[in-house]
Amino acid sequence: MSDTAAGLLQLLVLLVLLAAAWRPLGDWMARVYTAEGHWRVERAIYRVGRVDPDSDQRAGTYALAILAVSFVGVLLVYLIQRVQGFLPLDGTAGGDSKGAVDPSVAFNTAISFVTNTNWQSYVPETTMGHVANAAALAVQNFVSAAVGMAVAVALVRGFLRSRSGRIGNAWVDLVRGTVRVLVPLSVVLAIVLVACGVVMSFRTGITLTAADGSTHAAAIGPVASQESIKELGTNGGGILNANSAHPFENPNGGTNVLEILAMLLIPVALTRTFGRMVGDMRQGVSLLAVMTILWGGMLAVIWAAEAHAPAVTGGGMEGKETRFGIPSSALFADSTTGTSTGAVNSLHDSYTAFGGGGTLLNMLFGEVSPGGVGTGLYSILVIAIIAVFLAGLMVGRTPELLGKSLGRREVTCAAIVVLVMPALVLLGTGAAVVLPGTSDALTNAGPHGLSEVFYAFASAANNNGSAFGGLTVTSPFFQIALGAAMLFGRFLPILAVIALAGLLSAQPRREASAGTLRTGTPLFAGLVTATVLLVSAITFLPALALSPVAEGLTATAQIGVHQ
């Protein structure tokens, strides 16, 4: 079977599995966040935390709870890394102790995992022990994903409630998202991954004998348990440096499909949850259509660019695992950057200009195709608000969405969500390229070098975490600048979304009139898609023209000269 046929078959299997899971998982999550009863284990957690699970919070209180759990998470993850030398199971594959993590790396990593970015400016095998991986990083894989889901549900409640100003209980949403959704799914997936060959061990390493008789130490660890939540929670940070290109994390084509499925599963199913909660499934299908158009379109771009690479450069497989080939690598790359996962099974830096540019553009869309766990849903709802506002300006009517009027304050909150990421990306990239030390950190000059810096800040500000490669980010500037981009890129939009939810919930619900823009229609899906493309084009077109576009046109011109 050819690579193209195998890739198409893999894509078909993936779409069938997503379609099969969309309804049951989406309906389950809707019941999770609307149920009145509490499980026993949840009540035990509330008692320990002295939380009243039946209380209803205003937006300010909800935001404080989200910030508090995240701030405590940063402190704990940082401290665990700094005391790692006193913890068990911190040895390397060669038997040496890893010791305490460097302060700047620990700071950057703590922010990275709490913000669901999982950017790794360190080599996992030689830096992080098993206890730090499990007690610090894996815990935040669950908590940070639950935070995104909670904020998305709070925004949906803003549309549903009338004259209340209350958007739910943050502690209940966090606990339910973790206990009822993330933990069960991750346990099942971890068991399946182990059965398919993913490593699961608390040993620090094993000794391998090469064909020439020489021996080598290979790092192992509790990979499967972290791999499952790494993908399901759209986290992305691996225990092994090669991430999902490593055979211990991603042994074969079957696990490759499972990991892509895990990345897309919850973000896609949340569109069904949204439709179920608002009582109109057409609304959820409309958002799913937007996500599918963007995801499918960029998949076609990346796949075509990489499939054409052998004819252009003679080396289309550079940076890609021969176990997966170009189609499976393109599918993984499109999914990991279309969500906020950041896991990789190939090196994006080795992609062609337009293939690598496709992965970059996925993040510059704001990661709404389909986006991260929770973040994708609230981001695309914010884009829908902007789209309705623009449509209202065209016809001279007050914009409304799902029975709520979109006035100055609501649109201001939505604009903040949309503008934070571009500001961080462009300012960070601009500051980096003017510093004299950046050229020494790059392995490539010209447009490709600019793409490497551009990609790093797009990945950080979008809380994606994947690295383009070719850029050394261990300097104090990059540690601090990328850490700040991750921090502000996560929490400024979250605060604006929670404020938006509070404003919407305080309004009365309005009945649709003749002047109300009908949502949940193909026309509306097209309008939202056009808004995503328009906002990205206006904001990033000059920067893209100087990086992947310039590189691609230069390569094409050089090929024409040689021919």
Side-chain angles (χ1 to χ4, degrees):
M1 183 182 293
S2 68
D3 279 354
T4 300
L8 290 173
L9 178 61
Q10 187 178 61
L11 176 60
L12 177 62
V13 171
L14 175 66
L15 294 177
V16 169
L17 292 174
L18 281 172
W22 183 69
R23 180 169 184 167
L25 181 57
D27 289 350
W28 168 246
M29 289 191 291
R31 291 194 295 271
V32 165
Y33 290 107
T34 56
E36 296 183 0
H38 308 289
W39 289 2
R40 289 185 178 180
V41 64
E42 295 169 352
R43 290 190 177 276
I45 295 172
Y46 301 144
R47 283 196 297 271
V48 172
R50 296 184 179 182
V51 171
D52 178 8
D54 298 316
S55 64
D56 212 0
Q57 298 171 337
R58 294 187 179 275
T61 307
Y62 199 100
L64 285 175
I66 295 295
L67 291 177
V69 74
S70 300
F71 177 72
V72 171
V74 170
L75 289 180
L76 290 176
V77 174
Y78 179 82
L79 289 174
I80 290 172
Q81 293 176 86
R82 294 295 294 141
V83 302
Q84 180 173 256
F86 301 99
L87 301 175
L89 303 175
D90 78 324
T92 65
D96 300 324
S97 174
K98 296 186 176 79
V101 179
D102 180 79
S104 63
V105 175
F107 165 78
N108 186 280
T109 303
I111 291 176
S112 176
F113 277 77
V114 170
T115 58
N116 199 246
T117 310
N118 294 51
W119 173 274
Q120 293 174 291
S121 59
Y122 60 90
V123 178
E125 292 97 324
T126 60
T127 306
M128 213 67 65
H130 293 340
V131 173
N133 270 316
L137 307 188
V139 168
Q140 288 306 315
N141 284 349
F142 285 97
V143 176
S144 62
V147 165
M149 296 167 68
V151 174
V153 170
L155 180 57
V156 176
R157 291 195 189 106
F159 286 106
L160 294 175
R161 297 187 176 183
S162 178
R163 300 182 185 275
S164 71
R166 300 182 182 276
I167 56 175
N169 188 307
W171 304 110
V172 172
D173 291 340
L174 290 172
V175 169
R176 287 186 178 185
T178 303
V179 172
R180 303 192 190 188
V181 180
L182 296 172
V183 169
L185 287 176
S186 64
V187 168
V188 172
L189 180 59
I191 293 172
V192 174
L193 289 176
V194 169
C196 293
V198 176
V199 171
M200 185 66 190
S201 171
F202 282 99
R203 295 175 62 185
T204 55
I206 56 175
T207 300
L208 303 177
T209 303
D212 61 359
S214 61
T215 58
H216 305 272
I220 60 174
V223 176
S225 60
Q226 190 156 326
E227 190 74 18
S228 61
I229 188 58
K230 154 192 159 182
E231 311 293 12
L232 282 167
T234 59
N235 296 286
I239 287 183
L240 304 173
N241 195 41
N243 206 274
S244 291
H246 199 294
F248 289 171
E249 289 199 23
N250 192 4
N252 51 60
T255 57
N256 198 62
V257 173
L258 285 174
E259 292 183 16
I260 298 172
L261 173 67
M263 285 188 269
L264 299 171
L265 188 62
I266 296 177
V268 167
L270 277 172
T271 59
R272 171 84 183 186
T273 302
F274 170 68
R276 180 65 66 191
M277 290 182 69
V278 300
D280 186 354
M281 199 52 60
R282 293 173 301 176
Q283 305 293 335
V285 172
S286 178
L287 298 184
L288 178 61
V290 176
M291 294 175 175
T292 303
I293 290 170
L294 295 173
W295 178 82
M298 295 315 302
L299 174 61
V301 169
I302 298 170
W303 190 334
E306 296 310 303
H308 184 57
V312 174
T313 65
M317 281 302 296
E318 181 191 0
K320 302 178 184 67
E321 263 291 317
T322 55
R323 292 175 297 130
F324 305 130
I326 288 175
S328 296
S329 297
L331 181 58
F332 201 106
D334 181 51
S335 300
T336 196
T337 52
T339 62
S340 66
T341 309
V344 293
N345 76 345
S346 56
L347 186 63
H348 296 177
D349 189 42
S350 294
Y351 280 34
T352 63
F354 294 120
T359 64
L360 174 60
L361 191 56
N362 262 339
M363 295 186 292
L364 299 180
F365 285 154
E367 292 190 331
V368 293
S369 57
V373 170
T375 61
L377 179 60
Y378 70 64
S379 296
I380 202 166
L381 284 174
V382 166
I383 293 293
I385 288 173
I386 299 295
V388 171
F389 176 72
L390 294 175
L393 292 178
M394 294 177 189
V395 298
R397 293 182 180 272
T398 301
E400 294 180 6
L401 180 63
L402 297 175
K404 296 299 178 76
S405 176
L406 303 177
R408 177 182 59 83
R409 294 186 299 172
E410 290 81 7
V411 174
T412 299
C413 289
I416 290 173
V417 177
V418 171
L419 294 175
V420 164
M421 182 271 290
L424 292 172
V425 172
L426 295 176
L427 290 176
T429 304
V433 297
V434 300
L435 291 176
T438 300
S439 59
D440 297 331
L442 292 169
T443 56
N444 295 277
H448 194 83
L450 177 59
S451 294
E452 292 171 352
V453 179
F454 193 8
Y455 190 104
F457 280 95
S459 178
N462 281 288
N463 303 130
N464 183 276
S466 63
F468 203 55
L471 174 66
T472 302
V473 294
T474 53
S475 68
F477 167 76
F478 279 110
Q479 293 283 15
I480 295 171
L482 293 174
M486 290 186 281
L487 195 64
F488 292 123
R490 173 71 164 182
F491 291 111
L492 288 181
I494 278 179
L495 292 177
V497 168
I498 293 174
L500 174 61
L503 292 172
L504 293 172
S505 67
Q507 289 186 31
R509 287 187 61 83
R510 294 174 171 83
E511 296 297 327
S513 65
T516 302
L517 175 67
R518 292 181 58 201
T519 57
T521 64
L523 177 62
F524 181 70
L527 178 61
V528 175
T529 304
T531 303
V532 173
L533 298 174
L534 182 64
V535 169
S536 298
I538 292 175
T539 307
F540 293 111
L541 185 57
L544 288 168
L546 295 172
S547 43
V549 174
E551 182 187 357
L553 294 177
T554 301
T556 303
Q558 290 175 344
I559 292 168
V561 170
H562 292 311
Q563 289 177 342

